[in-house]
Amino acid sequence: MTSPDMLAIREQVSAALKEDLGGELNASLDITANLIDSKVNASATIITREPCVICGVAWVNQAFALIDDSISLTWHVKDGDKVEANTTLVSLTGAAQGILTAERTALNFLQTLSGTATVTASYAALLANSNTKILDTRKTLPGLRLAQKYAVRCGGGQNHRVGLFDAFLIKENHIFSCGGIENAVKRARETMPDKPVEVEVENLDELQQALLAGADIVMLDNFSNEQIQQAVALNKGQCKLEVSGNITEERLTSLSKLGVDYISSGALTKHVQAIDLSLRITLE
């Protein structure tokens, strides 16, 4: 499970800290922390108040390091771990000023990414006894694309394309603008033959067109379960089938029995509910 590179994490965390510090990465701009004597040291713990799947260790490390690299962190969990409520996630020691300045930024990343990992784990569990995999989408929080896609992997899901550059996803407006599914797929093959080509279809007739055009993946958009069964029969294993639209936890169990390869859901990343975390500090 490879995390985003450290440079990307550093840039994300730096930008978040600057939001808190008036545009500069300068801890002395935290006027409330400055009420504490700079020589006062503290120990602290971050706990979770609810069960969750952990994600965001590297982001937390970076938040404290950018404020005060002398702050020491000892992790008791790792990304991908499932933990119960009231679990201590990490212990910290160092200057009280630095711990309190970095606290909110660190918790923001940890609770958001753990929220993404947790909901993904709940979806993946419902598909555990099938060959169907849960995928994310591009409906991510701005600036957190790679971070949230990493969180999805921590939760046991798989990633759809990262962005507009690494795979074709030919949708309704692309089809219309290209003059049809056949033309759109043909142009994709001609321009970048090494990139996977996926076509979104809205009915069985469009599915047939996509199959004849040689699509690698076909996304069945807002198909009913009955229509999905018909699509699987029509496909006969010619390409990978993905289901999208109106995906809920309640529906996942039934979808897992229909023989599709993937189910994609924007809810994994756009409807994320942050995990309830708490940092407790003790002066030394």
Side-chain angles (χ1 to χ4, degrees):
M1 184 165 52
T2 305
S3 65
D5 65 75
M6 289 306 301
L7 177 59
I9 294 173
R10 183 183 180 88
E11 290 176 348
Q12 287 175 339
V13 175
S14 177
L17 287 168
K18 287 177 181 178
E19 285 183 326
D20 249 356
L21 295 167
E24 295 182 44
L25 189 53
N26 181 351
S28 67
L29 296 174
D30 180 353
I31 60 175
T32 310
N34 284 338
L35 299 176
I36 305 167
D37 191 298
S38 62
K39 296 179 181 179
V40 172
N41 288 325
S43 59
T45 56
I46 296 175
I47 67 167
T48 175
R49 297 186 182 276
E50 59 183 311
C52 65
V53 175
I54 297 301
C55 181
V57 169
W59 285 263
V60 173
N61 289 342
Q62 197 64 224
F64 287 103
L66 286 172
I67 292 300
D68 182 348
D69 60 10
S70 69
I71 296 173
S72 174
L73 288 82
T74 301
W75 284 93
H76 309 294
V77 296
K78 62 183 183 300
D79 286 345
D81 282 354
K82 295 182 179 180
V83 301
E84 297 301 320
N86 300 313
T87 297
T88 297
L89 307 180
V90 59
S91 302
L92 307 92
T93 57
Q97 280 187 346
I99 290 174
L100 294 177
T101 297
E103 171 188 2
R104 177 42 50 198
T105 295
L107 292 179
N108 282 349
F109 280 106
L110 188 60
Q111 66 185 23
T112 300
L113 297 182
S114 294
T116 298
T118 300
V119 70
T120 301
S122 68
Y123 276 43
L126 295 172
L127 301 175
N129 295 321
S130 73
N131 293 320
T132 305
K133 306 300 181 184
I134 189 72
L135 301 178
D136 53 25
T137 71
R138 286 171 47 239
K139 296 174 182 177
T140 53
L141 300 176
L144 290 181
R145 173 69 53 82
L146 295 180
Q148 284 196 288
K149 282 185 171 287
Y150 169 66
V152 166
R153 298 197 300 274
C154 287
Q158 295 184 8
N159 296 145
H160 207 285
R161 59 177 181 163
V162 175
L164 299 173
F165 61 93
D166 58 326
F168 291 100
L169 178 47
I170 301 169
K171 306 182 81 170
E172 178 184 12
N173 288 330
H174 302 106
I175 293 169
F176 176 78
S177 300
C178 288
I181 290 174
E182 181 181 2
N183 283 343
V185 173
K186 181 180 179 181
R187 290 182 185 181
R189 296 294 189 202
E190 291 173 347
T191 56
M192 291 190 174
D194 61 323
K195 300 293 186 185
V197 178
E198 180 169 2
V199 179
E200 180 184 85
V201 301
E202 297 181 349
N203 53 57
L204 293 174
D205 179 61
E206 290 183 348
L207 169 60
Q208 184 65 62
Q209 293 178 52
L211 293 175
L212 290 173
D216 298 307
I217 309 171
V218 174
M219 179 189 292
L220 310 175
D221 183 43
N222 283 302
F223 275 43
S224 68
N225 284 16
E226 181 180 358
Q227 289 173 316
I228 293 170
Q229 288 178 310
Q230 294 172 339
V232 171
L234 180 63
N235 180 45
K236 297 179 181 178
Q238 295 177 70
C239 72
K240 300 290 186 181
L241 291 181
E242 173 185 338
V243 173
S244 183
N246 192 30
I247 305 302
T248 62
E249 288 194 61
E250 292 74 21
R251 192 181 176 209
L252 277 173
T253 301
S254 63
L255 289 175
S256 71
K257 301 174 182 177
L258 300 182
V260 297
D261 300 283
Y262 307 113
I263 297 172
S264 59
S265 175
L268 302 181
T269 51
K270 71 171 182 171
H271 293 165
V272 60
Q273 181 172 330
I275 300 299
D276 187 5
L277 304 177
S278 176
L279 184 146
R280 298 173 175 174
I281 193 168
T282 303
L283 298 183
E284 295 183 344

